[in-house]
Amino acid sequence: MHQGHRINKIILDRSLFVSGLVVGAAALTAVFVAFLAITHLRAVRRSRKYRLLGELASEVNRAILFNEDEEIIFSTILDYAFRILEKVNLGSVLSFDPNGYLVIIASHGFDPDFVRNFRLRLEDTFQYRQSGGNISQAMIIEPEIIKGFADKLDSEGREYKSIISAPLFVGGRLYGFLNVDSVHAKRFGPADLALLKNLSGQIEVCLLARTRYRSSLAESRTDALTGLLTRGYFEELGAHAVKHATRYDLALTFGMYDLDGLKQVNDGLGHPAGDLLLVAAAKAISGTARKSDIFGRYGGDEFIAVHYNTDAKEMTERSLEKLKELRAAPLSFGGKEIAPSFSFGFADFPADAQDVAGLISVADARLYAMKSERKREADRKDKKAPAPKPAEERDHLPRGSVS
């Protein structure tokens, strides 16, 4: 009897032990599953954030390629900042205005009037106060610093408790700041700081690429010697001008200009003298144009223009006046004088032609008609002039005689 009772007790104890093991294992399994779920969720969130960063890089590259406005690019970056960082209430990109004050050039969550009236000295920024003026990297702003900016953060009286601020540098120069703000305390941590550094890096790359793009674009569109538009860019703008004039029934005039005697100057005095002549002629010829006109260098010694609000007759008169001024002020090179001169021809749209090729053809024909007429006139003068006496005859002339 006692022995049976002992056996039953042993069986019960073992059952309880096994049950305990099962319950413990179940609990551990639940904890492990929860841990896996949390880990998976974090991995999904992390993956989503990096996917968004990849999307942002593509968006920024596309915006730079299409030369979009900086405000559009920065607003796009702020959109992604809100999606990536989460629980962000305000975002802004600041840059320096011509007077040295920081202004908001892109924002999310701010009142428009507040944005328009915002002006801030560098010495009053989060970064400057927290770093003691040693601005170099993104940082989570301390609560004590934030409290001193309550009146500068928002026009609606909301209290912001967490802020990350990242400086923006372009070519080693401080351009401005990227800031994101939250009403939640201790909202941002090291991971958020790293993400904002990535976002600020995107802006810096955008600014640098845009600066270089604009520089290379200007170089490709501008003739290095004369500062006028290149032929390719002129043709692009000229085609647009004709298309616009066609659509709105407007008149305009194409002008072709050709510098006279460039080859003789290059051959006699060298190309530096020829360059001097080209620059002087370009300045004089473009002086016939209004600010709204389009002016370019068409070839070696040829220039081309689209003139608005005028016609061929008026442009001929203006060009003759400019030619008279140019000839009255000869250039000096190597102790010798160079008298600049140019020929020209004009074609009116739509009277003379209805497309760019036709307008250039008419203007060019009139230019060469002018050159031909000048040559005939010069030939007639040469025929009327007395022939020079042979050298032997001149040698026997008495002193004081006029040959």
Side-chain angles (χ1 to χ4, degrees):
M1 185 82 177
H2 290 294
Q3 186 175 358
H5 179 70
R6 225 176 10 255
I7 291 170
N8 288 336
K9 187 174 183 303
I10 290 170
I11 292 171
L12 178 62
D13 289 343
R14 286 181 177 176
S15 297
L16 290 172
F17 176 73
V18 171
S19 298
L21 287 176
V22 171
V23 170
L28 285 172
T29 300
V31 170
F32 182 65
V33 169
F35 172 76
L36 287 178
I38 292 170
T39 302
H40 176 70
L41 183 60
R42 286 176 178 172
V44 168
R45 284 180 175 174
R46 187 163 55 249
S47 174
R48 173 181 168 275
K49 288 180 178 181
Y50 282 106
R51 177 178 57 79
L52 288 172
L53 284 172
E55 286 181 11
L56 174 58
S58 297
E59 286 286 328
V60 169
N61 288 335
R62 184 196 63 80
I64 292 171
L65 181 63
F66 286 97
N67 200 27
E68 289 186 351
D69 186 73
E70 287 175 358
E71 185 177 344
I72 295 174
I73 298 175
F74 297 152
S75 293
T76 300
I77 291 172
L78 287 175
D79 278 338
Y80 276 88
F82 274 52
R83 293 166 64 188
I84 292 169
L85 293 174
E86 302 170 354
K87 294 184 181 178
V88 175
N89 303 100
L90 290 180
S92 60
V93 177
L94 312 181
S95 74
F96 291 98
D97 70 5
N99 297 316
Y101 284 92
L102 285 159
V103 296
I104 298 175
I105 56 174
S107 66
H108 273 224
F110 285 96
D111 177 73
D113 289 332
F114 178 80
V115 171
R116 277 192 295 271
N117 297 321
F118 183 88
R119 298 289 183 279
L120 190 67
R121 297 185 312 158
L122 177 62
E123 295 80 2
D124 293 330
T125 59
F126 302 123
Q127 281 268 348
Y128 193 95
R129 292 196 177 181
Q130 184 157 313
S131 68
N134 183 27
I135 299 170
S136 60
Q137 59 185 349
M139 56 178 63
I140 298 173
I141 305 302
E142 297 169 0
E144 295 77 16
I145 300 292
I146 296 174
K147 287 178 183 177
F149 283 83
D151 62 325
K152 296 182 178 68
L153 284 177
D154 191 6
S155 59
E156 298 179 10
R158 288 175 290 189
E159 184 181 358
Y160 292 90
K161 298 178 180 179
S162 299
I163 295 173
I164 302 182
S165 179
L168 304 172
F169 291 93
V170 180
R173 179 182 63 85
L174 180 64
Y175 174 89
F177 297 93
L178 168 63
N179 296 332
V180 291
D181 315 337
S182 173
V183 295
H184 303 280
K186 299 180 180 179
R187 173 65 192 89
F188 303 122
D192 300 301
L193 188 63
L195 284 168
L196 198 74
K197 285 180 179 177
N198 191 305
L199 289 169
S200 64
Q202 294 271 10
I203 294 180
E204 289 178 349
V205 168
C206 163
L207 290 167
L208 186 60
R210 194 173 176 81
T211 300
R212 289 177 177 173
Y213 176 75
R214 283 178 171 173
S215 177
S216 63
L217 195 63
E219 288 176 4
S220 69
R221 291 177 170 179
T222 307
D223 177 61
L225 179 63
T226 63
L228 301 178
L229 301 180
T230 58
R231 176 172 176 167
Y233 190 45
F234 174 87
E235 288 178 340
E236 181 183 333
L237 295 183
H240 177 77
V242 170
K243 192 178 293 183
H244 181 79
T246 302
R247 180 180 300 170
Y248 296 102
D249 194 25
L250 303 174
L252 51 81
T253 299
F254 265 62
M256 291 291 295
Y257 303 84
D258 186 88
L259 180 58
D260 299 327
L262 179 62
K263 185 178 186 306
Q264 289 85 342
V265 171
N266 280 337
D267 292 345
L269 298 175
H271 285 276
D275 288 348
L276 181 68
L277 187 62
L278 275 167
V279 171
K283 184 178 179 181
I285 295 169
S286 59
T288 64
R290 297 183 176 94
K291 285 186 177 179
S292 59
D293 294 349
I294 306 169
F295 224 99
R297 186 177 178 187
Y298 198 65
D301 57 358
E302 290 183 313
F303 304 93
I304 188 169
V306 174
H307 300 287
Y308 293 96
N309 303 315
T310 187
D311 57 25
K313 182 175 181 296
E314 182 186 352
M315 284 309 306
T316 297
E317 292 170 357
R318 282 162 58 182
S319 298
L320 286 171
E321 186 62 33
K322 186 59 68 174
L323 182 58
K324 184 178 177 182
E325 293 175 11
L326 188 62
R327 285 174 170 173
L331 305 173
S332 178
F333 186 87
K336 295 186 178 181
E337 287 191 345
I338 308 172
S341 178
F342 61 88
S343 302
F344 51 83
F346 299 100
D348 290 332
F349 172 87
D352 292 318
Q354 291 75 51
D355 58 38
V356 174
L359 289 163
I360 290 176
S361 178
V362 172
D364 202 43
R366 289 174 178 170
L367 182 154
Y368 278 97
M370 181 181 185
K371 288 182 88 74
S372 297
E373 179 56 35
R374 280 185 176 175
K375 189 174 186 307
R376 284 193 295 270
E377 186 180 342
D379 290 343
R380 284 195 296 268
K381 286 182 179 179
D382 288 342
K383 287 178 181 177
K384 288 180 181 179
K389 298 182 186 302
E392 301 84 13
E393 190 177 338
R394 287 202 306 269
D395 290 342
H396 291 88
L397 285 174
R399 288 181 181 273
S401 297
V402 179
S403 58

